[in-house]
Short mmCIF file of all heavy atoms in Angstrom, two decimals:
data_model
loop_
_atom_site.label_atom_id
_atom_site.label_comp_id
_atom_site.label_asym_id
_atom_site.label_seq_id
_atom_site.Cartn_x
_atom_site.Cartn_y
_atom_site.Cartn_z
N MET A 1 0.84 -1.20 0.00
CA MET A 1 0.00 0.00 0.00
C MET A 1 0.87 1.24 0.00
O MET A 1 1.86 1.33 0.71
CB MET A 1 -0.90 0.02 1.24
CG MET A 1 -1.91 -1.10 1.27
SD MET A 1 -3.18 -0.92 0.02
CE MET A 1 -4.06 0.49 0.68
N THR A 2 0.50 2.23 -0.81
CA THR A 2 1.26 3.46 -0.87
C THR A 2 0.88 4.37 0.28
O THR A 2 -0.28 4.58 0.57
CB THR A 2 0.98 4.19 -2.20
OG1 THR A 2 1.46 3.40 -3.27
CG2 THR A 2 1.70 5.52 -2.24
N ASP A 3 1.89 4.90 0.97
CA ASP A 3 1.69 5.83 2.06
C ASP A 3 1.95 7.23 1.53
O ASP A 3 3.08 7.58 1.19
CB ASP A 3 2.65 5.50 3.20
CG ASP A 3 2.48 6.43 4.40
OD1 ASP A 3 1.79 7.46 4.25
OD2 ASP A 3 3.03 6.13 5.46
N ALA A 4 0.92 8.05 1.43
CA ALA A 4 1.04 9.37 0.81
C ALA A 4 1.97 10.30 1.57
O ALA A 4 2.39 11.33 1.05
CB ALA A 4 -0.35 10.01 0.69
N SER A 5 2.31 9.94 2.82
CA SER A 5 3.19 10.81 3.59
C SER A 5 4.67 10.58 3.28
O SER A 5 5.52 11.34 3.71
CB SER A 5 2.96 10.59 5.10
OG SER A 5 3.40 9.31 5.47
N LYS A 6 4.95 9.53 2.55
CA LYS A 6 6.34 9.23 2.23
C LYS A 6 6.87 10.24 1.22
O LYS A 6 6.37 10.34 0.11
CB LYS A 6 6.49 7.82 1.66
CG LYS A 6 6.19 6.71 2.65
CD LYS A 6 6.47 5.37 2.02
CE LYS A 6 6.21 4.23 3.00
NZ LYS A 6 6.51 2.92 2.43
N SER A 7 7.90 10.98 1.59
CA SER A 7 8.42 11.97 0.66
C SER A 7 9.79 12.46 1.10
O SER A 7 10.22 12.26 2.23
CB SER A 7 7.47 13.16 0.54
OG SER A 7 7.32 13.81 1.80
N LEU A 8 10.46 13.12 0.16
CA LEU A 8 11.74 13.77 0.40
C LEU A 8 11.61 15.22 -0.02
O LEU A 8 11.10 15.50 -1.10
CB LEU A 8 12.85 13.08 -0.41
CG LEU A 8 14.21 13.80 -0.46
CD1 LEU A 8 14.89 13.74 0.90
CD2 LEU A 8 15.09 13.18 -1.54
N ARG A 9 12.07 16.14 0.83
CA ARG A 9 12.05 17.56 0.45
C ARG A 9 13.33 18.22 0.89
O ARG A 9 13.76 18.09 2.04
CB ARG A 9 10.85 18.26 1.09
CG ARG A 9 10.73 19.75 0.70
CD ARG A 9 9.32 20.25 0.91
NE ARG A 9 8.92 20.27 2.30
CZ ARG A 9 9.01 21.34 3.09
NH1 ARG A 9 9.51 22.48 2.61
NH2 ARG A 9 8.60 21.28 4.35
N ALA A 33 11.17 18.61 -4.23
CA ALA A 33 10.52 17.58 -3.42
C ALA A 33 10.14 16.40 -4.30
O ALA A 33 9.91 16.56 -5.51
CB ALA A 33 9.28 18.13 -2.73
N ILE A 34 10.09 15.22 -3.69
CA ILE A 34 9.67 14.01 -4.38
C ILE A 34 8.58 13.35 -3.56
O ILE A 34 8.73 13.16 -2.35
CB ILE A 34 10.85 13.03 -4.56
CG1 ILE A 34 12.02 13.73 -5.27
CG2 ILE A 34 10.41 11.81 -5.36
CD1 ILE A 34 13.25 12.86 -5.39
N GLU A 35 7.49 13.01 -4.21
CA GLU A 35 6.35 12.43 -3.50
C GLU A 35 6.42 10.91 -3.47
O GLU A 35 7.24 10.29 -4.15
CB GLU A 35 5.05 12.88 -4.19
CG GLU A 35 4.84 14.38 -4.17
CD GLU A 35 4.89 14.97 -2.77
OE1 GLU A 35 4.35 14.32 -1.85
OE2 GLU A 35 5.47 16.04 -2.59
N ALA A 36 5.56 10.32 -2.69
CA ALA A 36 5.50 8.87 -2.57
C ALA A 36 5.24 8.22 -3.92
O ALA A 36 4.38 8.65 -4.67
CB ALA A 36 4.38 8.49 -1.59
N GLY A 37 6.01 7.18 -4.21
CA GLY A 37 5.82 6.43 -5.44
C GLY A 37 6.30 7.15 -6.69
O GLY A 37 6.10 6.66 -7.80
N GLU A 38 6.96 8.30 -6.52
CA GLU A 38 7.44 9.07 -7.66
C GLU A 38 8.90 8.75 -7.93
O GLU A 38 9.71 8.62 -7.02
CB GLU A 38 7.28 10.57 -7.39
CG GLU A 38 7.66 11.44 -8.58
CD GLU A 38 7.54 12.93 -8.29
OE1 GLU A 38 7.55 13.32 -7.10
OE2 GLU A 38 7.44 13.70 -9.26
N MET A 39 9.26 8.64 -9.23
CA MET A 39 10.64 8.41 -9.64
C MET A 39 11.15 9.65 -10.35
O MET A 39 10.58 10.07 -11.36
CB MET A 39 10.74 7.20 -10.57
CG MET A 39 10.37 5.88 -9.93
SD MET A 39 10.53 4.50 -11.09
CE MET A 39 12.32 4.38 -11.22
N VAL A 40 12.21 10.22 -9.82
CA VAL A 40 12.80 11.43 -10.41
C VAL A 40 14.22 11.11 -10.85
O VAL A 40 15.03 10.59 -10.07
CB VAL A 40 12.80 12.59 -9.40
CG1 VAL A 40 13.51 13.81 -9.99
CG2 VAL A 40 11.37 12.94 -9.01
N ASN A 71 9.95 12.32 5.13
CA ASN A 71 8.62 12.03 5.64
C ASN A 71 8.12 13.14 6.56
O ASN A 71 7.49 12.89 7.58
CB ASN A 71 8.60 10.69 6.37
CG ASN A 71 7.19 10.22 6.68
OD1 ASN A 71 6.27 10.44 5.91
ND2 ASN A 71 7.03 9.57 7.82
N PRO A 166 11.80 1.78 3.45
CA PRO A 166 12.18 3.18 3.66
C PRO A 166 11.19 4.15 3.01
O PRO A 166 10.39 3.77 2.16
CB PRO A 166 13.54 3.27 2.97
CG PRO A 166 13.45 2.26 1.86
CD PRO A 166 12.65 1.13 2.45
N TYR A 167 11.27 5.40 3.43
CA TYR A 167 10.49 6.46 2.82
C TYR A 167 11.15 6.98 1.55
O TYR A 167 10.47 7.45 0.63
CB TYR A 167 10.31 7.63 3.79
CG TYR A 167 9.53 7.28 5.03
CD1 TYR A 167 10.12 7.33 6.29
CD2 TYR A 167 8.19 6.90 4.94
CE1 TYR A 167 9.40 7.01 7.42
CE2 TYR A 167 7.47 6.57 6.07
CZ TYR A 167 8.08 6.64 7.31
OH TYR A 167 7.36 6.31 8.44
N VAL A 168 12.47 6.90 1.50
CA VAL A 168 13.25 7.48 0.40
C VAL A 168 14.22 6.44 -0.15
O VAL A 168 14.86 5.70 0.62
CB VAL A 168 14.04 8.71 0.89
CG1 VAL A 168 14.96 9.25 -0.22
CG2 VAL A 168 13.09 9.80 1.38
N LEU A 169 14.35 6.39 -1.47
CA LEU A 169 15.34 5.54 -2.13
C LEU A 169 16.23 6.43 -2.99
O LEU A 169 15.75 7.18 -3.84
CB LEU A 169 14.66 4.49 -3.01
CG LEU A 169 15.59 3.56 -3.80
CD1 LEU A 169 16.38 2.67 -2.85
CD2 LEU A 169 14.81 2.72 -4.80
N LEU A 193 9.07 -1.96 -8.08
CA LEU A 193 9.23 -1.92 -6.63
C LEU A 193 8.89 -0.54 -6.07
O LEU A 193 8.25 -0.42 -5.02
CB LEU A 193 10.66 -2.30 -6.27
CG LEU A 193 10.91 -2.84 -4.86
CD1 LEU A 193 10.00 -4.03 -4.56
CD2 LEU A 193 12.36 -3.25 -4.70
N VAL A 194 9.30 0.51 -6.77
CA VAL A 194 8.99 1.88 -6.34
C VAL A 194 7.48 2.10 -6.33
O VAL A 194 6.91 2.64 -5.38
CB VAL A 194 9.67 2.91 -7.25
CG1 VAL A 194 9.13 4.32 -6.99
CG2 VAL A 194 11.18 2.90 -7.04
N ARG A 195 6.80 1.67 -7.40
CA ARG A 195 5.34 1.86 -7.49
C ARG A 195 4.62 1.07 -6.41
O ARG A 195 3.65 1.55 -5.81
CB ARG A 195 4.84 1.42 -8.87
CG ARG A 195 5.51 2.08 -10.06
CD ARG A 195 5.45 3.59 -10.01
NE ARG A 195 5.90 4.17 -11.28
CZ ARG A 195 6.36 5.40 -11.42
NH1 ARG A 195 6.46 6.19 -10.38
NH2 ARG A 195 6.74 5.85 -12.61
N GLN A 196 5.07 -0.15 -6.17
CA GLN A 196 4.39 -1.01 -5.21
C GLN A 196 4.58 -0.53 -3.78
O GLN A 196 3.67 -0.57 -2.96
CB GLN A 196 4.89 -2.45 -5.38
CG GLN A 196 4.16 -3.49 -4.54
CD GLN A 196 4.75 -3.64 -3.14
OE1 GLN A 196 5.90 -3.31 -2.91
NE2 GLN A 196 3.92 -4.11 -2.21
N SER A 197 5.80 -0.06 -3.47
CA SER A 197 6.12 0.29 -2.09
C SER A 197 5.76 1.71 -1.72
O SER A 197 5.59 2.04 -0.54
CB SER A 197 7.62 0.07 -1.84
OG SER A 197 8.39 0.98 -2.61
N GLY A 198 5.67 2.61 -2.72
CA GLY A 198 5.38 4.00 -2.43
C GLY A 198 6.57 4.79 -1.96
O GLY A 198 6.43 5.88 -1.41
N VAL A 199 7.79 4.27 -2.19
CA VAL A 199 8.99 4.99 -1.81
C VAL A 199 9.21 6.17 -2.77
O VAL A 199 8.82 6.12 -3.94
CB VAL A 199 10.21 4.03 -1.83
CG1 VAL A 199 10.54 3.58 -3.23
CG2 VAL A 199 11.42 4.67 -1.17
N ALA A 200 9.78 7.26 -2.27
CA ALA A 200 10.13 8.41 -3.11
C ALA A 200 11.55 8.18 -3.62
O ALA A 200 12.49 8.10 -2.83
CB ALA A 200 10.05 9.70 -2.30
N ALA A 201 11.72 8.07 -4.94
CA ALA A 201 13.00 7.65 -5.51
C ALA A 201 13.68 8.76 -6.30
O ALA A 201 13.08 9.35 -7.20
CB ALA A 201 12.80 6.43 -6.40
N ASP A 215 9.18 9.77 -13.95
CA ASP A 215 8.09 10.75 -13.87
C ASP A 215 8.53 12.15 -14.27
O ASP A 215 7.77 12.89 -14.89
CB ASP A 215 7.52 10.78 -12.45
CG ASP A 215 6.90 9.44 -12.07
OD1 ASP A 215 6.10 8.91 -12.86
OD2 ASP A 215 7.24 8.91 -11.00
N ARG A 216 9.74 12.51 -13.93
CA ARG A 216 10.31 13.78 -14.36
C ARG A 216 11.82 13.72 -14.26
O ARG A 216 12.38 12.83 -13.62
CB ARG A 216 9.76 14.96 -13.57
CG ARG A 216 9.89 14.90 -12.08
CD ARG A 216 9.06 15.97 -11.39
NE ARG A 216 8.97 15.77 -9.97
CZ ARG A 216 9.72 16.39 -9.06
NH1 ARG A 216 10.61 17.30 -9.46
NH2 ARG A 216 9.57 16.15 -7.78
#
Side-chain angles (χ1 to χ4, degrees):
M1 295 291 290
T2 296
D3 181 348
S5 68
K6 293 184 179 182
S7 62
L8 169 70
R9 182 159 66 95
I34 306 176
E35 299 305 320
E38 184 182 22
M39 295 181 72
V40 176
N71 191 35
Y167 296 116
V168 175
L169 178 66
L193 203 54
V194 168
R195 305 305 190 202
Q196 186 273 337
S197 66
V199 67
D215 297 310
R216 55 192 168 99

